[in-house]
Coordinates of all heavy atoms in Angstrom, one line a residue:
D241 N 4.2 -16.5 4.5 CA 5.6 -16.9 5.0 C 6.7 -16.1 4.3 O 7.6 -15.7 4.9 CB 5.8 -18.4 4.9 CG 4.9 -19.2 5.7 OD1 4.4 -18.7 6.7 OD2 4.6 -20.4 5.4
L242 N 6.5 -16.0 3.0 CA 7.5 -15.3 2.1 C 7.6 -13.8 2.6 O 8.7 -13.3 2.8 CB 7.1 -15.4 0.7 CG 8.1 -14.7 -0.3 CD1 8.2 -15.5 -1.6 CD2 7.6 -13.3 -0.7
L243 N 6.4 -13.2 2.7 CA 6.4 -11.8 3.1 C 7.0 -11.6 4.5 O 7.8 -10.7 4.8 CB 5.0 -11.2 3.1 CG 4.8 -9.7 3.4 CD1 5.8 -8.9 2.6 CD2 3.4 -9.3 3.1
E244 N 6.7 -12.5 5.4 CA 7.2 -12.4 6.8 C 8.8 -12.6 6.8 O 9.5 -11.9 7.5 CB 6.6 -13.5 7.7 CG 5.1 -13.2 8.1 CD 4.5 -14.3 8.9 OE1 5.0 -15.4 8.9 OE2 3.5 -14.0 9.6
K245 N 9.2 -13.5 5.9 CA 10.7 -13.7 5.9 C 11.4 -12.4 5.3 O 12.4 -12.0 5.9 CB 11.0 -14.9 5.0 CG 12.5 -15.2 4.9 CD 12.8 -16.6 4.3 CE 14.2 -16.9 4.4 NZ 14.5 -18.3 4.1
L246 N 10.8 -11.8 4.3 CA 11.4 -10.6 3.7 C 11.3 -9.4 4.7 O 12.1 -8.5 4.7 CB 10.8 -10.3 2.4 CG 11.2 -11.3 1.3 CD1 10.5 -10.9 0.0 CD2 12.8 -11.3 1.1
N247 N 10.2 -9.4 5.4 CA 10.0 -8.3 6.5 C 11.1 -8.4 7.5 O 11.7 -7.4 7.8 CB 8.7 -8.5 7.2 CG 7.5 -7.8 6.4 OD1 7.7 -6.9 5.7 ND2 6.3 -8.3 6.7
A248 N 11.4 -9.6 7.9 CA 12.5 -9.8 8.9 C 13.9 -9.4 8.4 O 14.7 -8.7 9.0 CB 12.5 -11.2 9.5
L249 N 14.1 -9.8 7.1 CA 15.4 -9.5 6.5 C 15.5 -8.0 6.3 O 16.6 -7.4 6.5 CB 15.5 -10.3 5.2 CG 16.8 -10.3 4.5 CD1 17.8 -11.0 5.3 CD2 16.7 -11.0 3.1
G250 N 14.5 -7.4 5.8 CA 14.5 -6.0 5.5 C 14.6 -5.1 6.8 O 15.4 -4.2 6.8
A251 N 13.9 -5.5 7.8 CA 13.9 -4.8 9.0 C 15.3 -4.8 9.7 O 15.8 -3.8 10.2 CB 12.9 -5.4 10.0
A252 N 15.9 -6.0 9.6 CA 17.3 -6.1 10.2 C 18.3 -5.2 9.5 O 19.3 -4.8 10.1 CB 17.7 -7.5 10.1
N253 N 18.0 -4.9 8.2 CA 19.0 -4.1 7.4 C 18.5 -2.6 7.2 O 19.1 -1.9 6.4 CB 19.2 -4.7 6.1 CG 20.1 -6.0 6.2 OD1 21.3 -5.9 6.3 ND2 19.5 -7.1 6.3
G254 N 17.5 -2.2 8.0 CA 17.1 -0.8 7.9 C 16.4 -0.4 6.7 O 16.4 0.7 6.2

Side-chain angles (χ1 to χ4, degrees):
D241 295 335
L242 181 144
L243 183 50
E244 287 177 340
K245 182 164 186 171
L246 290 178
N247 274 337
L249 191 64
N253 285 278

